């Protein structure tokens, strides 16, 4: 009887977040004021974020204590399991050992609540009554609604319209936890109205929805804004994923040769890979860190490394990152969580410096892989996560060629229970 | 930091199923031939079940070895977690300790694969190429599709029409694992055609779908039939739930005073409670075993204890059980898995003998409880499982009155990710 799950005892849950800032090969370029093009200080972010998060955003401390109240909520589902994909290995006839870190066990079904809970906590601590946010596929919106409910904060979600329509039950999920959700672009904000004026049929984008949520937050005294990816503090909160993996690999005496995650805004990829990036940069571990993105929104593989806004209206500071241009509207692929024009500055810098490798793939091969994985391992992955599986399959097939028994770690960021319409489209041959 | 999850190590997974037959207060009344009204022998079941399962159906051995090949698949998600519902306790301000055994971690999201995997295995072993079955809410159909895929068997699912329409993504899930699914009643069988002739708008029922699936199996050489509940072997396969619970309570030095599960056909309830029923009957443990069912299909609380068929067409043997009559068509409540006119003969006997207590509740209070649970514990329960939560809440509130700190165990049989339409109906006030 082969063991399949490496379970970290609850008491061994990481008690600190890992902040990669002090371990970077060079410091991050500072965010710039969009008007003056001068570096902005923490105060510039105060209208939209609570100070507790701003401090983390600019922190250069390697380790940040996770508050007890946050841990207490995370432990509703954490530590998340690390699983050996024995059936997938067999199906591929590969000598590689394939593991997946499964974040779909959280109530909203993805890695997103790792930061949503932390963000809700710091907002609550500073008396914030209401949080506005955007969501793509709905993973982030439902995670924030889940977290806000536990800290008794109102939650307002601007959901990218194409996902709102593709995934109606994400809306029900957000509402079950007490949040409010509207399809973006809306008529509720200047940013939304401007898009609708020019493109009445706009299917929306994360860039548009971010503009709407920021405008909402800035316009109300009781409201702050929350971002589900890209920013440093978000990435730091997600580090618990990779820190758990390190402990789990230690339990079984293995260590990954390759760590592969999907990349949209970067928080899932960074959360999984940054603890390994530390061991690569600081301890000289020989490890390949691989980010996979959709060809149709290939920010890291085809974008420019330059200052750009995080949103379409230009409300956010200018961030140094890989970008396709802030007005880029990706095609409505089913992996809605990967439809973002930019990338986390921290991930971008490590890609630029060669610490992280990148690759892309098309939607059809993603779903071929997703169905293969579902039939082998049982679990139906989110389309976003299936990008990472595909990256791992490619590596495992290389091992089959070379006969190498590499250990490959997949970041399985969420389940696909709210993406079955996309599976339907694939299985019925309607996917291009 | 309060611990929330009691995790049983993989190596401690139960290696034997518990068969309650030898521990019953009196033997089961035998199934009868519908024509002759004489007891039937194992041979009568051979056209529809493989012999390995028929042997289990009539076995009086207390312990049955779980084959290695079955354990190997179960360990994709088992042992399942036993969780302490600390937030729910707090929300109810009860001194009771509330635990839930969570079966939603299986790939199909419910307890059903515990028996689906075993049934697929025994069919495969005897060379069966194709299995036909029925499904209500879709939990069983998706579980059997999942299991058949892993053992390379074709799977044909007759899905009760009202659920097929309420839960379209269950269909996609069945198809993702390679199964075929049709809304029942269909025009493919005599049983289906007979219903459609009389009620062209029939929303279907489990009784109808069972007739269709049996007719399909009997009519094809390569095909057997599989039932997801009611029968002894199914109930026995589910005993792994309660056996794991016993080990998990032992790990923390607690023991439940009350075990509460929802009841449809009986397999979930029996799987959870029979190991505790053994300790109640054999070891004299003082424990309340409580089955909760919907008022609109209150088989145990309002049905008659008598011989009846398991299906509408009368294809099955006559079983001694609580029944609302084989032609009873329950209203289309959202807890589709509880819409069954009969009850497992094993559960029925223990209810009749006073070992198990029963209660019922209406749909509105079920969803009130489901949303309260989701907001407290995060996890969104299946409507079926919410019946059990409601039963536990009632008991916890009694404890609040009396000041007793009882331990209450909920059988949380599945998640509600495919039931969000029902949550939508509740949250928008459209539920009667």
């Amino acid at each position: 009887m082969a063991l399949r799950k490496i379970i970290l005892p609850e008491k061994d849950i990481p008690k600190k977040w890992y902040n990669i800032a002090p371990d970077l090969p060079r410091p991050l370029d500072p965010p710039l004021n969009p008007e003056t093009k001068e570096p902005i200080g923490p105060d510039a972010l105060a209208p939209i974020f609570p100070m507790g998060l701003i401090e983390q955003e600019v922190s250069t401390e390697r380790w940040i204590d996770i508050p007890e109240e946050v841990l207490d909520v995370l432990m509703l589902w954490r530590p998340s399991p690390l699983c050996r994909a024995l059936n997938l290995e067999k199906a591929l006839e590969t000598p590689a050992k394939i593991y997946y870190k499964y974040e779909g066990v959280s109530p909203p079904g993805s890695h997103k609540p790792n930061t949503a809970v932390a963000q809700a906590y710091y907002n609550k601590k500073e008396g914030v009554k209401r949080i506005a946010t955007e969501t793509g596929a709905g993973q982030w919106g439902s995670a924030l609604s889940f977290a806000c409910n536990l800290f008794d904060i109102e939650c307002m979600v601007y959901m990218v319209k194409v996902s709102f329509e593709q995934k109606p039950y994400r809306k029900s999920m957000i509402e079950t936890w007490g949040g409010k959700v509207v399809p973006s672009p809306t008529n509720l904000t200047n940013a939304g109205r401007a898009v609708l004026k020019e493109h009445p049929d706009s299917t929306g984008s994360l860039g548009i929805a971010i503009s709407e949520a920021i405008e909402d937050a800035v316009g109300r005294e009781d409201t702050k804004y929350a971002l589900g990816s890209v920013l440093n503090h978000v990435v730091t909160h997600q580090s618990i994923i990779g820190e758990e993996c390190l402990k789990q690999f230690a339990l079984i005496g293995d260590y990954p040769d390759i760590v592969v995650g999907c990349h949209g805004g970067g928080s899932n990829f960074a959360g999984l890979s940054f603890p390994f990036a530390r061991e690569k940069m600081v301890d000289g571990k020989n490890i390949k860190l691989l980010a996979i993105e959709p060809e149709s929104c290939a920010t890291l593989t085809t974008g420019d490394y330059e200052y750009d806004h995080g949103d379409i209206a230009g409300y956010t500071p200018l961030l140094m990152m890989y970008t396709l241009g802030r007005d880029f509207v990706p095609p409505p692929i089913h992996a809605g969580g990967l439809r973002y024009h930019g990338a986390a500055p921290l991930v971008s810098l490590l890609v630029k410096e060669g610490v992280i490798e990148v690759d892309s793939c098309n939607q059809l091969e993603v779903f071929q892989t997703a169905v293969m994985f579902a039939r082998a391992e049982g679990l139906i992955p989110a389309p976003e996560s299936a990008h990472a599986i595909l990256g791992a399959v490619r590596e495992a097939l290389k091992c089959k060629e070379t006969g190498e028994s590499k250990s490959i770690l997949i970041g399985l960021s969420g389940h696909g229970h709210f993406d079955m319409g996309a599976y339907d489209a694939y299985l019925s041959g309607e996917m291009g």
Side-chain angles (χ1 to χ4, degrees), chain A:
Chain A
M1 228 169 40
L3 299 191
R4 292 176 179 273
K5 296 181 291 295
I6 301 114
I7 305 287
L8 190 68
E10 267 184 331
K11 65 176 176 50
D12 295 334
I13 190 171
K15 310 293 189 303
K16 293 175 192 291
W17 288 305
Y18 169 56
N19 175 17
I20 203 168
D23 294 326
L24 293 174
R26 58 177 171 82
L28 271 186
D29 297 290
L32 303 182
N33 180 311
E35 311 284 315
T36 65
K37 306 283 188 291
E38 293 295 315
I40 59 162
D43 289 352
L45 298 171
I48 58 170
F49 294 122
M51 204 43 74
L53 294 174
I54 295 172
E55 281 166 16
Q56 292 176 4
E57 185 64 20
V58 300
S59 169
T60 53
E61 292 297 314
R62 183 173 286 112
W63 298 105
I64 297 173
D65 286 334
I66 308 179
E68 186 96 351
E69 296 88 336
V70 172
L71 274 179
D72 207 48
V73 176
L74 295 182
M75 283 168 65
L76 283 170
W77 71 95
R78 303 208 74 86
S80 70
L82 176 69
C83 305
R84 178 86 183 268
L86 291 166
N87 292 7
L88 180 62
E89 293 170 17
K90 207 168 150 191
L92 297 172
E93 297 177 328
T94 176
K97 286 185 279 185
I98 305 177
Y99 299 88
Y100 61 91
K101 175 69 168 173
Y102 185 42
E103 292 293 304
V105 290
S106 76
S110 81
H111 66 293
K112 291 291 188 188
N114 294 331
T115 181
V117 171
Q119 293 193 44
Y121 166 79
Y122 287 107
N123 273 285
K124 181 70 181 182
K125 211 175 150 190
E126 297 181 29
V128 175
K129 302 271 183 266
R130 182 172 172 275
I131 300 179
T133 198
E134 75 292 332
T135 196
Q139 301 273 23
W140 168 243
S142 51
L144 192 67
S145 177
F146 159 78
C148 282
N149 163 63
L150 289 171
F151 289 100
D152 198 20
I153 297 171
E154 271 183 68
C155 180
M156 171 67 173
V157 181
Y158 294 85
M159 183 167 182
V160 176
K161 191 184 271 174
V162 59
S163 292
F164 188 89
E165 284 162 3
Q166 278 174 348
K167 303 172 191 194
Y169 294 146
R170 278 283 169 196
K171 165 183 164 287
S172 324
M173 197 177 209
I174 291 169
E175 291 174 344
T176 295
W177 285 314
K180 189 177 169 187
V181 53
V182 290
S184 164
T186 74
N187 272 311
L188 301 173
T189 66
N190 291 327
R193 283 187 292 266
V195 172
L196 287 174
K197 197 173 161 194
E198 206 167 331
H199 306 285
D201 297 331
S202 168
T203 54
S205 73
L206 274 174
I208 298 168
I210 293 174
S211 289
E212 293 211 87
I214 292 180
E215 195 179 318
D216 178 314
V218 169
R220 289 183 57 154
E221 191 65 37
D222 64 347
T223 301
K224 295 280 187 195
Y225 167 71
L227 189 64
S229 190
V230 179
L231 298 181
N232 305 343
H233 67 276
V234 181
V235 162
T236 296
H237 297 156
Q238 293 293 356
S239 67
I240 194 166
I241 302 171
E243 294 299 333
E244 282 183 7
C245 285
L246 284 174
K247 292 186 174 204
Q248 286 164 311
F249 276 105
L251 283 179
I252 53 166
D254 199 358
Y255 193 88
D257 299 291
I258 300 159
V259 174
V260 53
C262 63
H263 191 279
S267 77
N268 158 66
F269 180 76
L272 174 76
S273 69
F274 278 10
F276 293 100
R278 177 183 70 240
E279 302 210 334
K280 178 174 183 166
M281 295 187 293
V282 177
D283 306 326
K285 287 271 189 191
N286 181 14
I287 181 168
K288 177 174 179 174
L289 308 174
L290 180 58
I292 309 275
E293 50 186 13
E295 278 175 10
S296 56
C297 188
T299 313
L300 298 175
T301 39
T302 68
D304 296 315
Y305 186 62
E306 63 188 18
Y307 272 109
D308 196 6
H309 290 282
D311 68 321
I312 191 163
Y315 295 152
T316 72
L318 289 161
L319 301 172
M320 185 53 132
M321 61 181 178
Y322 281 94
T323 174
L324 295 165
R326 68 175 156 125
D327 53 357
F328 177 79
V329 177
I333 56 166
H334 290 284
L338 307 184
R339 295 176 73 242
Y340 187 59
H341 70 278
L346 286 168
V347 173
S348 294
L349 185 148
L350 290 171
V351 169
K352 187 72 184 168
E353 295 295 323
V355 177
I356 291 168
E357 298 176 43
V358 298
D359 204 352
S360 66
C361 54
N362 70 52
Q363 181 162 263
L364 205 56
E365 56 185 342
V366 165
F367 275 87
Q368 281 164 348
T369 304
V371 169
M372 180 185 65
F373 186 84
R375 291 186 181 175
E377 293 293 319
L379 194 157
I380 298 177
E384 291 84 355
S385 316
H387 287 72
I389 301 171
L390 177 55
V393 167
R394 286 175 178 168
E395 296 289 336
L397 292 177
K398 283 186 214 165
C399 287
K400 190 175 170 179
E401 293 291 316
T402 63
E404 287 171 293
S405 175
K406 289 187 177 172
S407 289
I408 304 171
L409 169 60
I410 299 169
L412 217 156
S413 52
H415 61 62
H417 299 171
F418 293 85
D419 304 282
M420 296 312 299
Y423 278 86
D424 238 9
Y426 170 73
L427 291 166
S428 61
E430 285 162 24
M431 191 173 281

